Amino acid sequence: MAGEHTLLSTEIVNRGVEASGPDAGSPTFSVRVRRRLPDFLQSVNLKYVKLGYHYLISHGIYLATIPVLVVVFGAEVGSLSREELWRKVWEETSYDLATVLAFFGVLVFTVSVYFMSRPRPIYLVDFACYRPSDDLKVSREEFIELARKSGKFDEESLAFQSRLLKSSGVGDETYVPKSIFTTGNCATMKEGRAEASMVMFGALDELFEKCRVRPKDVGILVVNCSLFNPTPSLSAMIVNHYKMRGNILSYNLGGMGCSAGIISLDLARDMLQASPNNYAVVVSTEAVSFTWYTGRNRSMLIPNCFFRMGCSAVLLSNRRRDFRRAKYRLEHIVRTHKGADTRSFRCVYQEEDEQRIKGLSISRDLMEVGGHALKTNITTLGPLVLPFSEQLLFFAALLFRRRSSSSSSDSKPYIPDYKLAFEHFCMHAASKAVLDELQRNLELSDRHMEASRAVLHRFGNTSSSSIWYELAYLEAKGRVRRGDRVWQLAFGSGFKCNSAVWRAMRRVRPPSRSPWLGCADRYPVGL
């Protein structure tokens, strides 16, 4: 149990005035002990020689086998003169027409089966992120003042939200719908449809213009929005607005949290594998007016301080002719679901409070639950993306720990260095505390976390679309080059942790249309 105390955090809870018993009339307190995000990525062995091992072992197989093959082949051929070599190849070998035809037939059949059995490559042609109008922009002070004027909160709730905003990492230029500060109920179907139409159609208009694709050319449409699910669905709203074709394959995902964007990608990929020469559009958004909570439960007030307006629209293609104009190719998607565990299932939970006011409850166990989901996800992702050197070191360390009698108390597991697998990281911008823990446990630099912190500061937590605002930030900075690998990581209720890996098909120059136009140069700042 050495070092176990570093995983614990303490909290003093005021339980109020004792109503009965020997301590009646006296204030009572309790100390609550909780676990932080598990420090499972801290390596103590071979920490400073991992990079050297990477280059040595990754190329060791080639350095060991290729010279042997060259020496053996050279010795065999070198012992023959040119005339002897010619005679062995052409004169001493008998060929007949049937053998030649059979050989080429088997070769053509094998090559054909290989290419036909391979899954179709999925290309990301382009994507768009919606930037609301400036009249919806609010600073943190304006946010609290408008909340106070709405008359929906008492002073204690306003003070709690004010304190939380100061340490949230959210800046003074995020966007919220005006309806949430009105005196009436903002979570109406009319307000929800108006907000969803604004952000979805804004992102899709930009996407179709950038890609020069007509809405009728799209054969697959996947929309995700966790809390707002009207009838007809959001996907039906898009089909109706753009007058899409009647045989479009349309899907609407709800209640899947902030990681639903990658789940939608997975669904679109599967549908594209079954539909050759097709386009798929994935729309990711959240209705802020339906995350808005006006009660006094502090765990339900947390989403008010983080969730902001946003939407992304992504165009995917399996057409081979889109190879030249596509920005990225989808490499891997890895999904982890911890819903079988009750504590994980309830850590992000929509319910009513004591006054029957609906809200999204955030459990204090979120950090620990998210840590275990992340551990499972990256352990699954590792063999798909890590260089051979890191996998070998991890396997050797695992064997050593199993054979060592003291491993349970003194040594820590060797976890591979994921910085060797990716050039860019797009971590879901949930909150500053979550990003701090991710950076510490994954041992990432400030530059690796820059995109996530910039999105949280400039746009807030835009739910499932936040990873696309982060990729847009990297493009606006001109950092994505041909061959670069991008890791998108998102967490969501359920509890889920999902990863998507992209490879850049070409150097991506700063786009002419981007949510970061006019503000990307201000970052990074002291986030």
Side-chain angles (χ1 to χ4, degrees):
M1 299 296 291
E4 181 72 13
H5 64 281
T6 62
L7 303 182
L8 303 178
S9 63
T10 58
E11 175 189 12
I12 300 177
V13 181
N14 185 354
R15 302 181 61 181
V17 178
E18 190 71 23
S20 60
D23 298 325
S26 303
T28 58
F29 300 87
S30 63
V31 179
R32 182 180 297 167
V33 181
R34 297 185 180 277
R35 297 179 63 88
R36 298 188 303 160
L37 183 66
D39 194 11
F40 54 84
L41 290 182
Q42 199 63 254
S43 174
V44 294
N45 296 322
L46 306 178
K47 180 176 181 180
Y48 300 104
V49 297
K50 288 190 291 186
L51 187 60
Y53 268 108
H54 161 60
Y55 289 111
L56 177 63
I57 301 177
S58 293
H59 299 86
I61 292 185
Y62 304 105
L63 295 174
T65 57
I66 292 179
V68 173
L69 294 176
V70 171
V71 169
V72 172
F73 181 77
E76 181 67 23
V77 176
S79 63
L80 301 175
S81 64
R82 182 180 301 177
E83 293 77 9
E84 291 174 335
L85 180 61
W86 182 266
R87 186 170 58 254
K88 281 182 174 294
V89 173
W90 293 105
E91 296 180 6
E92 296 183 5
T93 306
S94 60
Y95 301 97
D96 58 79
L97 182 60
T99 302
V100 173
L101 292 178
F103 172 77
F104 280 106
V106 171
L107 179 63
V108 170
F109 177 76
T110 304
V111 172
S112 300
V113 170
Y114 171 74
F115 281 103
M116 291 176 64
S117 61
R118 291 181 62 190
R120 291 176 175 271
I122 305 300
Y123 302 113
L124 191 159
V125 179
D126 211 335
F127 66 97
C129 296
Y130 179 68
R131 178 172 170 172
S133 59
D134 288 344
D135 63 322
L136 300 177
K137 187 184 297 184
V138 295
S139 66
R140 286 171 290 187
E141 292 183 0
E142 291 172 338
F143 182 91
I144 297 299
E145 186 60 29
L146 289 172
R148 177 178 284 108
K149 291 180 179 179
S150 69
K152 298 177 179 179
F153 302 97
D154 58 18
E155 287 300 322
E156 186 178 352
S157 298
L158 289 171
F160 172 75
Q161 293 180 83
S162 180
R163 292 195 304 270
L164 193 59
L165 276 172
K166 291 179 181 179
S167 60
S168 64
V170 177
D172 291 327
E173 295 184 296
T174 58
Y175 304 91
V176 296
K178 293 182 178 180
S179 61
I180 65 176
F181 295 120
T182 59
T183 55
N185 177 24
C186 64
T188 63
M189 299 302 293
K190 180 180 179 180
E191 294 293 347
R193 283 194 172 93
E195 181 186 347
S197 299
M198 179 196 308
V199 297
M200 292 193 308
F201 299 157
L204 286 168
D205 288 344
E206 180 181 337
L207 178 70
F208 291 139
E209 182 180 343
K210 291 170 68 174
C211 299
R212 300 185 300 277
V213 171
R214 301 178 305 166
K216 287 186 177 295
D217 295 333
V218 177
I220 301 166
L221 173 65
V222 184
V223 181
N224 69 81
C225 183
S226 186
L227 297 182
F228 180 56
N229 294 284
T231 300
S233 65
L234 297 178
S235 59
M237 289 171 56
I238 294 175
V239 173
N240 175 262
H241 179 79
Y242 291 100
K243 309 305 178 187
M244 292 179 162
R245 64 198 200 195
N247 63 343
I248 188 172
L249 302 176
S250 173
Y251 301 89
N252 198 96
L253 305 183
M256 307 198 78
C258 300
S259 66
I262 296 180
I263 298 173
S264 299
L265 284 177
D266 194 21
L267 175 58
R269 178 188 62 174
D270 292 343
M271 298 309 302
L272 284 173
Q273 294 294 350
S275 305
N277 299 317
N278 216 335
Y279 285 122
V281 168
V282 175
V283 179
S284 301
T285 188
E286 189 58 80
V288 177
S289 55
F290 276 72
T291 66
W292 193 246
Y293 172 70
T294 58
R296 300 181 179 181
N297 190 317
R298 292 193 173 186
S299 66
M300 294 183 176
L301 287 169
I302 294 174
N304 289 1
C305 302
F306 293 97
F307 284 105
R308 297 293 185 265
M309 292 179 68
C311 179
S312 65
V314 181
L315 180 66
L316 304 176
S317 172
N318 60 5
R319 304 186 182 196
R320 299 195 184 278
R321 60 177 173 269
D322 287 326
F323 170 83
R324 294 188 179 278
R325 69 167 182 151
K327 284 186 175 181
Y328 306 93
R329 184 180 69 244
L330 181 60
E331 297 280 318
H332 307 287
I333 291 179
V334 174
R335 295 168 54 182
T336 300
H337 203 307
K338 292 291 186 178
D341 175 62
T342 302
R343 191 171 59 143
S344 299
F345 174 72
R346 292 192 61 92
C347 70
V348 180
Y349 203 80
Q350 188 181 22
E351 58 185 347
E352 293 87 9
D353 64 6
E354 295 79 2
Q355 287 75 39
R356 302 188 64 81
I357 302 176
K358 186 182 298 183
L360 195 65
S361 175
I362 308 297
S363 169
R364 294 180 181 272
D365 296 327
L366 179 62
M367 297 292 284
E368 183 183 353
V369 166
H372 290 299
L374 173 64
K375 179 179 181 180
T376 303
N377 188 264
I378 65 174
T379 303
T380 307
L381 180 66
L384 302 176
V385 298
L386 287 168
F388 177 72
S389 61
E390 290 297 299
Q391 297 188 48
L392 183 60
L393 285 173
F394 174 74
F395 182 71
L398 181 63
L399 291 180
F400 175 77
R401 281 174 52 82
R402 288 183 177 273
R403 297 174 64 91
S404 174
S405 59
S406 62
S407 61
S408 60
S409 58
D410 297 329
S411 63
K412 296 182 179 180
Y414 175 82
I415 302 299
D417 187 356
Y418 283 84
K419 297 187 293 294
L420 299 174
F422 305 106
E423 284 74 34
H424 307 289
F425 296 78
C426 296
M427 306 294 181
H428 171 50
S431 69
K432 184 178 183 298
V434 171
L435 295 181
D436 288 344
E437 288 295 309
L438 283 173
Q439 180 175 3
R440 182 179 65 84
N441 279 273
L442 290 172
E443 297 183 350
L444 301 178
S445 67
D446 291 339
R447 186 176 178 85
H448 290 136
M449 300 298 295
E450 182 182 323
S452 300
R453 296 189 186 279
V455 167
L456 181 63
H457 186 269
R458 177 62 182 84
F459 294 98
N461 182 349
T462 60
S463 189
S464 57
S465 64
S466 67
I467 54 178
W468 295 106
Y469 284 86
E470 293 163 17
L471 186 55
Y473 176 84
L474 295 172
E475 290 187 355
K477 288 288 190 177
R479 295 180 182 175
V480 182
R481 301 182 180 275
R482 181 177 180 179
D484 283 0
R485 297 154 297 180
V486 181
W487 181 15
Q488 291 181 320
L489 178 70
F491 302 90
S493 58
F495 190 84
K496 298 179 287 291
C497 178
N498 300 324
S499 293
V501 178
W502 303 90
R503 184 177 293 272
M505 304 293 293
R506 54 183 171 86
R507 181 180 180 183
V508 181
R509 301 186 181 278
S512 58
R513 299 192 63 176
S514 169
W516 292 96
L517 290 180
C519 59
D521 294 338
R522 303 203 304 264
Y523 293 89
V525 294
L527 303 178

